[in-house]
Amino acid sequence: LNDPLKQPYNTRADWSDDSPPMASGQAESAKPSSDNENLVAQRADAASAGSGSLSRKDLDRLVEKVSLALDMDPALVKAVIKTESNFDHTAVSRAGAKGLMQLMPGTARDLGVKDPFNPVENVWAGARYLKRMLDRHGGNLNNALASYNWGPGNFDRKGKANMPGETRRYISTVNRHYAKFNKESTPRA
């Protein structure tokens, strides 16, 4: 497995509709931990577990490969990664979301992820989940981002009008990064 982009990946397509992949919106069932020592220990375990980080160039190649395979805009996937983890594959949220795309443990398990700190597994699973949210909302980006962040069950039950402020800020931040990455990837004449 010298080339991280050729690593085998389980493409199991089970989905948990009530679990957001990350914790920034904190679904009803997510319990934030006040124990920062546990978070530090998880991050240290991730860093030493051999999950491996990717260079920025390799991460860009991975995002391109995943986006092409899923018929998604790589700038969008990159914007979600930037917003979720700031490109830190060892990121752990207070609610327990892990990795580049901040997958919650239940969602990661449902997506067949064995190591959420493995950048290849995490990006493939997070992008598949994001694609599912885009399909679920007929391509409506803001609704898909709300479901990714807040959880599709919360979005369906409570509605767009009742989104928490944190989810509204999340949508705005992803859109800002998305525009920036689109501008950077547009060739100049």
Side-chain angles (χ1 to χ4, degrees), residues 29-158:
S29 63
K31 286 176 72 176
S33 169
S34 61
D35 185 5
N36 285 337
E37 291 175 14
N38 185 33
L39 296 178
V40 170
Q42 286 183 31
R43 177 174 267 199
D45 288 346
S48 65
S51 299
S53 64
L54 295 178
S55 69
R56 188 58 185 265
K57 181 179 174 182
D58 284 342
L59 180 58
D60 286 345
R61 286 179 44 220
L62 173 62
V63 168
E64 288 286 334
K65 178 181 178 179
V66 169
S67 299
L68 179 65
L70 298 174
D71 193 28
M72 295 179 71
D73 186 344
L76 175 59
V77 175
K78 214 165 143 179
V80 170
I81 293 170
K82 169 71 174 164
T83 303
E84 291 295 342
S85 67
N86 198 27
F87 301 105
D88 179 1
H89 80 282
T90 67
V92 180
S93 75
R94 286 186 302 271
K98 298 175 182 171
L100 289 166
M101 295 190 78
Q102 289 291 277
L103 301 173
M104 288 296 288
T107 302
R109 191 172 36 258
D110 290 346
L111 294 168
V113 173
K114 292 179 178 26
D115 180 2
F117 297 112
N118 179 303
V120 176
E121 283 190 63
N122 193 287
V123 171
W124 271 105
R128 284 181 25 240
Y129 191 83
L130 180 58
K131 174 70 171 177
R132 176 141 195 252
M133 296 303 101
L134 284 163
D135 291 346
R136 177 187 186 109
H137 292 287
N140 182 307
L141 178 59
N142 289 341
N143 289 352
L145 291 172
S147 287
Y148 187 94
N149 177 261
W150 191 27
N154 284 329
F155 186 89
D156 291 347
R157 280 190 306 275
K158 298 175 182 178

